[in-house]
Structure formats: C-alpha cells, structure tokens
Amino acid sequence: MNADAKKTTLRMIPYGIYILTADDGKGGIAAATVNWVTQTAFGPPLVVVAMKADSGAYQIVKGAGTFALNMLGKDQKGLAFTFFKPAVVAEGKISGQAYRIGETGAPILTDAVAAVECRVKTIIGEGDHHVVLGEVVEAHVMKPPSGRPDNAILEMKDLGDNVFYGG
Amino acid sequence: MNADAKKTTLRMIPYGIYILTADDGKGGIAAATVNWVTQTAFGPPLVVVAMKADSGAYQIVKGAGTFALNMLGKDQKGLAFTFFKPAVVAEGKISGQAYRIGETGAPILTDAVAAVECRVKTIIGEGDHHVVLGEVVEAHVMKPPSGRPDNAILEMKDLGDNVFYGG
C-alpha cells in the first residue's frame, strides 16, 4: 500500500470535534478532544468513538462505563486545543471550564452547544486506538442550531489548514 | 430522553458520503451509499462502517470478508442517490457505473475520486445497523485533492437541505 495514498484517502473523511468527558467516581475525571466518532444505529441509538489505547481518558471511560460527547460551536476552537492537553480539575472546573454532572455521571460542559451521554456496551481492543461502542441514553441541546445541525458544530477543518487527526 | 434533543444532537455529527462496494465471489455484488464511517486506529489503519443489518449489501460484505469505500467528489451527488437504490449489475457495470476489481476483489468505481480497500476484522452485531471494523489494506487516489482532502469529498450536507441519515 502506498503510504501517501493511504494518508490522503483517509484524510478525506470529515470529522466533527468533541470533548469526551467521563467520571469514574473514584477521583478520575476525563476531558479529552476526540474526533473519530460516528453514529452506528438508530435502534437503539448507538455511537462509536475510537480512543487512544494508552490514554488516561480511555482508562477512565473503561472504569466509568459511561461517557459524554460534548459538541462545540464554530467559535470554540480554543476549547478544542485546551482539551488536547491532559485535563486538570480544580475549583470545581475542568481545565477552567464549568460543568454539571449528567444523568450518567459524566460531566457536561456548560459552554458546549450540545452533548450526548452514553453507556459503554462493547469495546473492540484492536489497534493503537480502541473502538468504544456506546448507547446514547441522554441528550442535551444548550444552544439550538439555527440551520442544519451539522453546520453548527466545530469541525476538524476549522482548527487550521494543517490540522488533521487521521490518515 | 427527549427525542428531539437526541435527533438534533446526533445530527450535529458531520458525515462524508461513500459508495461501499463488495464482491463475494459467488455472484453477489454490493454497491450501496453509506455515511456512518470513521477511522478508528493509525496502526494498523482501521476504519468502522455501520451497515443496515437486514440489507443485502451487509450479507455480501460478510460473505466477501472485504469491502471498499469509494469517495465521491462534490459534483457527484447523483451517484450518491443512484446507490441509495439496490445495485444492478449489467454489461460489466454496477448500476451503470464502470469499475475495476481491486486487490481485495472489491469493486473500485472508475469515477470515484478515491477509495480504500479493507479486510473485515471484527463485527459487532448490536442494533439495527452492525459495526463492521475493517483494516485498510489498499488505497487509491484517482483525483488528487487540490486543498484539504476533507474539503474535496461529497458530504451529507451537500445532498440537500433536508437530507439526513442519523439522529
């Protein structure tokens, strides 16, 4: 396989940007920027997120058995970069961001435009990132979109001309 | 869970449009428009595609053990709608589209802008669509993108103001 062709082709897949959050109830709170996300079923509503296998956030999601995907607005590029770094919990905030506890125990970022909460159903432990399949059990819309919902959220291409995660 | 909130939030996820193709070597040839796709690992390169569990295309992918995802250009909306319908193989074409046989045996559409070929590694049989995890073993770029690769391909939002598959 030609490495350049693989990179170019896989980078054709468009991605949104999400802050994945989780709380294992034992002091471990995760908040990490992710983009490898897709819905996978309507009934029940299922989503897949791929998580770096050696990351702290992944360990916390496995311990919690639940997670949230927080959607960002087009003007919230700074938040995406904030959560590329390890999350720091202090003074009731995660890396300076206010949050509340969702139905599943996962943190919901106050400034996100929307969020879904999921319960982990299955994990496929293949490759350097693992496939986490979650059932969507709660959904929150903090800022209703005025047009198409998929035009309202921050995407990978909004982060910069040379910013990619994929390929 | 509020059904409207679930729909709005899940429809925030942006999607590309792909023609998934497969050939089971027993006369079964699949070519179907899909959008629930994400990369899930760099090493090895893995992708997930969710396929309708009761579809003919899914049966053919399971029989073949391989599939291709063909990426379309921004001007190829018509092809996406062509492959919403069951594929018809006649005169060496699939629903009127010329193709060649890829390394894995999966059909590669001549007019696609790019394609990846995958070997099925694992399937999660949960929900009305099943999660097919494939390892990318070959990649083809027929029309190199001039800018960002993720600006070059047809997306769900390009199909029409009220066209969604998700929520």
Side-chain angles (χ1 to χ4, degrees), chain B residues 8-96:
Chain B
T8 298
T9 307
L10 288 175
R11 286 185 175 180
M12 288 179 170
I13 303 171
Y15 293 108
I17 296 292
Y18 313 89
I19 312 300
L20 182 148
T21 52
D23 183 338
D24 65 9
K26 298 172 188 169
I29 296 184
T33 301
V34 300
N35 66 292
W36 286 347
V37 170
T38 182
Q39 186 168 356
T40 70
F42 288 112
L46 301 175
V47 295
V48 147
V49 54
M51 296 193 69
K52 197 161 182 288
D54 62 2
S55 66
Y58 178 52
Q59 297 306 316
I60 291 169
V61 166
K62 284 198 290 186
T66 59
F67 64 90
L69 293 170
N70 296 266
M71 283 74 168
L72 303 179
K74 289 287 185 192
D75 58 346
Q76 294 182 302
K77 179 174 157 177
L79 276 186
F81 286 99
T82 293
F83 291 105
F84 281 141
K85 291 168 266 184
V88 178
V89 181
E91 298 175 4
K93 295 184 173 184
I94 308 177
S95 300

Side-chain angles (χ1 to χ4, degrees), chain A residues 33-111:
Chain A
T33 302
V34 300
N35 65 292
W36 286 347
V37 169
T38 182
Q39 186 167 357
T40 70
F42 288 112
L46 301 176
V47 295
V48 147
V49 54
M51 296 193 70
K52 198 161 182 288
D54 63 2
S55 67
Y58 177 53
Q59 296 307 316
I60 292 170
V61 166
K62 284 198 291 187
T66 59
F67 63 91
L69 294 170
N70 296 266
M71 283 73 169
L72 302 179
K74 288 287 185 193
D75 58 346
Q76 294 182 303
K77 179 174 157 176
L79 276 187
F81 285 100
T82 294
F83 291 105
F84 281 141
K85 291 169 266 184
V88 178
V89 181
E91 298 175 3
K93 295 185 174 186
I94 309 177
S95 300
Q97 293 301 308
Y99 68 99
R100 64 184 179 81
I101 304 297
E103 302 296 315
T104 60
I108 308 298
L109 299 182
T110 307
D111 286 347

Side-chain angles (χ1 to χ4, degrees), chain A residues 39-40 43 128-129 148 160 167, chain B residues 39-40 43 128-129 148 150 160 167:
Chain A
Q39 186 167 357
T40 70
D128 53 18
H129 291 61
R148 284 185 68 99
Chain B
Q39 186 168 356
T40 70
D128 53 16
H129 292 60
R148 283 185 69 100
D150 52 1

